[in-house]
Amino acid sequence: MRKHVIGAIFCLLLAIASFSSRAQTTNQPIYIDSLVNGWQDWSWAKDNLANTSPVHSGSDSISISCTNYQGFYLHQTAFNSSPYSNITFWIYVTSSGVPPLKVQGTLSGTAQSSYYQIPSVTANTWTLITVPLSSLGTANATNMDGFWIESETSSQVPTFYVDDITLNTNSVVTTNNPPTTTNSTAVISVDAGANRHAISPLIYGVAFASNTQLADLNAPLNRSGGNEETRYNWQINAHNHAADWYFESIGDSPAVPAGTTDSFISNTISGGAKPLITIPMIGWIPKLGGSRSILSSYSVVKYGAQT
């Protein structure tokens, strides 16, 4: 009986997953090493769709050379843009700054008056550009059929490169039918070289190590912490042991203010590490008996022998 129940649940989950995958409109790749999904190159600028360097991912990218307001133009049979929210692509320029380039969209072959200005980018590195369809005047249209990247100057624009162009969506289509996108492919790009930085050495360390131990371990951090340190009175250089041992307040040596902390810091530095100390902030600190004697919260005279 249990196996039948588990099997039924599994089948139900598969059915739900299957419906979800059919109901969700997927991103539509436009260029991945080549144009896909029926997109065509209608450019009036000089371009090369099989450029081999630089490349963001895969084997090829697109090199584009523009002058006198030329443009890189990609065309598609008119389609309903309402499931889609933006177009993304990666761009590579050879000089930093604001490239004189804009993105325009077309409806039934007519360029829309609104456009997206490509922002300032850093030279010799790939930068992700996200172009909202709303900025192109092509959002929620039944007849979007293309877009272009156009030079905004009559002068020669240094050759730039584009890769991994995608039409993106986060909308849900209310139908059980599969999307009509031809050869739709899910693409995941992982740039292992992006946003890399060194790990802080201060996340590795030990607690209360001697300078010899620090040197032996090559530990970069030495920590003075724990519940006893929460109750450190630096002015009289004393600790309270709390419930660990009869709430005793015990004086440290030497009998000078912050002597224990100063010694810990010096010891740590001599061992080649950084000191991490606890600063008591709970509002209660220990006091000592006469001549720095141990002072307990439980008086043996008053309460009898401790258990």
Side-chain angles (χ1 to χ4, degrees):
M1 182 65 177
R2 181 182 179 187
K3 291 182 178 179
H4 291 305
V5 173
I6 294 174
I9 294 173
F10 181 69
C11 291
L12 177 60
L13 291 175
L14 285 178
I16 293 171
S18 176
F19 174 80
S20 298
S21 65
R22 291 196 303 269
Q24 179 71 42
T25 298
T26 59
N27 295 342
Q28 182 185 136
I30 297 175
Y31 177 88
I32 312 170
D33 291 339
S34 63
L35 291 174
V36 294
N37 292 321
W39 286 85
Q40 303 173 33
D41 182 13
W42 284 22
S43 302
W44 67 98
K46 182 180 179 181
D47 62 13
N48 176 14
L49 275 68
N51 175 72
T52 57
S53 180
V55 171
H56 177 257
S57 70
S59 59
D60 296 318
S61 64
I62 305 169
S63 65
I64 305 168
S65 298
C66 295
T67 187
N68 196 25
Y69 305 100
Q70 291 179 331
F72 170 68
Y73 179 18
L74 295 182
H75 176 78
Q76 171 68 285
T77 302
F79 62 94
N80 184 357
S81 68
S82 59
Y84 303 99
S85 59
N86 59 69
I87 297 169
T88 56
F89 59 86
W90 293 81
I91 191 169
Y92 185 105
V93 300
T94 54
S95 59
S96 295
V98 180
L101 300 170
K102 66 180 180 181
V103 182
Q104 281 186 279
T106 60
L107 300 177
S108 297
T110 301
Q112 302 305 290
S113 58
S114 59
Y115 61 88
Y116 176 89
Q117 180 72 51
I118 293 181
S120 177
V121 294
T122 303
N124 303 316
T125 186
W126 286 99
T127 301
L128 178 64
I129 303 296
T130 300
V131 183
L133 295 187
S134 58
S135 70
L136 305 182
T138 58
N140 301 312
T142 59
N143 58 338
M144 181 176 178
D145 60 355
F147 65 96
W148 60 57
I149 303 174
E150 181 183 3
S151 166
E152 295 188 283
T153 176
S154 59
S155 303
Q156 179 69 43
V157 176
T159 299
F160 61 96
Y161 307 88
V162 173
D163 203 352
D164 296 331
I165 309 173
T166 305
L167 187 62
N168 300 285
T169 178
N170 53 11
S171 302
V172 175
V173 179
T174 56
T175 176
N176 291 341
N177 297 324
T180 57
T181 304
T182 305
N183 298 325
S184 180
T185 305
V187 178
I188 299 175
S189 298
V190 178
D191 186 352
N195 298 322
R196 298 178 64 180
H197 59 84
I199 297 174
S200 170
L202 299 182
I203 69 171
Y204 306 104
V206 292
F208 297 106
S210 66
N211 55 2
T212 302
Q213 291 169 331
L214 291 170
D216 287 344
L217 296 172
N218 196 27
L221 181 71
N222 193 21
R223 172 178 175 263
S224 172
N227 58 353
E228 182 179 287
E229 296 305 303
T230 305
R231 296 173 303 279
Y232 174 58
N233 184 341
W234 69 269
Q235 293 179 308
I236 63 173
N237 199 32
H239 287 82
N240 183 279
H241 288 212
D244 290 351
W245 192 256
Y246 303 137
F247 293 88
E248 288 182 342
S249 294
I250 302 177
D252 296 345
S253 179
V256 297
T260 298
T261 299
D262 288 343
S263 177
F264 176 84
I265 292 173
S266 299
N267 172 75
T268 299
I269 294 174
S270 67
K274 300 286 187 181
L276 176 64
I277 64 172
T278 300
I279 299 178
M281 298 176 64
I282 63 172
W284 295 89
I285 53 176
K287 64 180 180 179
L288 297 174
S291 301
R292 297 181 61 80
S293 61
I294 295 176
L295 190 63
S296 301
S297 293
Y298 297 109
S299 168
V300 176
V301 174
K302 185 174 182 179
Y303 296 108
Q306 307 292 335
T307 59

